[in-house]
Amino acid sequence: MEAAQREGASAPPVQQQLPYTDALPYYDREIESVPDMRERVEQEIEAEKQKMRYDPTTLLPPAYELHGPLAEEIARAQREEKLDALDASRYQLPAPTKGLKAPEEEWAQSVQNAEVQLAYMDGRLKNIELLRRYGPNVWRLHNYDQEAMVELQTRAEKDAQEACSDVNRARKEAQLAIGDKLSTLESRWASLVSKNLAIRAANITAAAETEEYRRRAREIQNELEQLDAATG
């Protein structure tokens, strides 16, 4: 990762444009080998997320919201309340309670109820006949539409998976190419650092030896001067 930071300015641009600042997960392995590296990476990710201009969760589709009777029915089921019994009175043909002595209004209501029941049964028979005639073809057409929708969604899913694979493949190729260059530059950098240290150590040694030679030269010069003075 340090090598990536040193070479980040001169690295070739990645052809695949990604929505976030991309790392080198296919190349970096320091997160698994260096102690406390994962915690440092998580902190850097959180800091980077704070700088984003949008929240990544806004890219997700909105959650499905229930409304109307369906929401009320689900709420009833969550409360574990029993379902109201079906009103079966409309399927009955009760006669007036007082029989022939019943007032005309009750008989009119019974006759109206019978007419409604008859109309309902007539409509039901017609619907059954229509279903018998046209239902199979309509159902086959419905199945055909469903199969076409499934095929369309399957194709869209496959295309999305292929696009995702292409992105990951491009990222891997780019990162491995950059990683090889970073490894080469890091090796060169380490070699140059070692050479610089060796040169610095040699300079220090040479300076010390030079100073020692100068000291000995001064001592010899002093001895020669003393000998010249003694013989003169």
Side-chain angles (χ1 to χ4, degrees):
M1 294 181 67
E2 295 177 358
Q5 294 176 356
R6 291 193 298 271
E7 185 57 19
S10 59
V14 180
Q15 296 180 356
Q16 181 67 38
Q17 183 66 29
L18 299 174
Y20 304 111
T21 302
D22 201 10
L24 301 177
Y26 292 101
Y27 171 74
D28 280 335
R29 291 294 181 266
E30 296 179 0
I31 193 172
E32 301 172 358
S33 58
V34 179
D36 300 331
M37 179 59 70
R38 184 176 296 276
E39 289 75 10
R40 291 169 55 188
V41 170
E42 294 294 339
Q43 293 176 1
E44 292 294 333
I45 292 176
E46 291 299 328
E48 186 67 24
K49 288 170 63 177
Q50 298 299 327
K51 299 178 183 178
M52 289 183 178
R53 291 174 293 180
Y54 59 91
D55 184 3
T57 57
T58 58
L59 302 178
L60 299 176
Y64 181 74
E65 297 182 0
L66 301 177
H67 301 281
L70 182 58
E72 296 176 358
E73 185 61 23
I74 292 179
R76 179 200 62 77
Q78 291 176 347
R79 294 192 300 268
E80 298 182 356
E81 297 179 358
K82 293 183 178 180
L83 180 65
D84 294 337
L86 297 177
D87 185 11
S89 61
R90 58 180 180 174
Y91 302 107
Q92 300 175 1
L93 294 175
T97 55
K98 297 182 180 180
L100 297 177
K101 296 182 180 180
E104 184 178 354
E105 291 78 7
E106 292 186 9
W107 278 105
Q109 185 176 1
S110 297
V111 171
Q112 183 180 6
N113 184 27
E115 291 176 349
V116 170
Q117 295 293 336
L118 181 62
Y120 170 74
M121 294 303 297
D122 181 66
R124 185 176 181 182
L125 291 175
K126 290 180 180 179
N127 289 334
I128 293 175
E129 180 63 21
L130 291 173
L131 181 62
R132 186 185 66 81
R133 289 185 181 182
Y134 306 107
N137 292 333
V138 173
W139 187 253
R140 293 188 186 96
L141 181 61
H142 173 72
N143 289 339
Y144 175 79
D145 292 338
Q146 293 295 318
E147 291 174 356
M149 292 179 61
V150 170
E151 183 179 358
L152 181 63
Q153 293 298 327
T154 302
R155 189 182 304 113
E157 180 183 4
K158 183 178 179 181
D159 293 341
Q161 291 177 350
E162 292 179 354
C164 183
S165 299
D166 292 340
V167 171
N168 290 330
R169 191 178 300 110
R171 291 177 65 240
K172 183 176 182 179
E173 293 176 356
Q175 291 176 18
L176 291 179
I178 295 174
D180 293 340
K181 185 175 181 180
L182 290 176
S183 298
T184 302
L185 294 176
E186 187 173 13
S187 299
R188 289 178 56 190
W189 175 80
S191 177
L192 292 175
V193 169
S194 299
K195 290 181 180 180
N196 288 335
L197 292 176
I199 293 173
R200 181 176 298 179
N203 289 336
I204 295 174
T205 302
E209 292 178 353
T210 301
E211 183 63 27
E212 178 65 20
Y213 289 147
R214 289 176 179 175
R215 185 185 63 80
R216 292 181 60 186
R218 288 194 298 269
E219 291 179 353
I220 294 172
Q221 183 67 29
N222 292 333
E223 292 178 358
L224 291 175
E225 291 177 354
Q226 292 176 1
L227 289 175
D228 291 340
T231 57

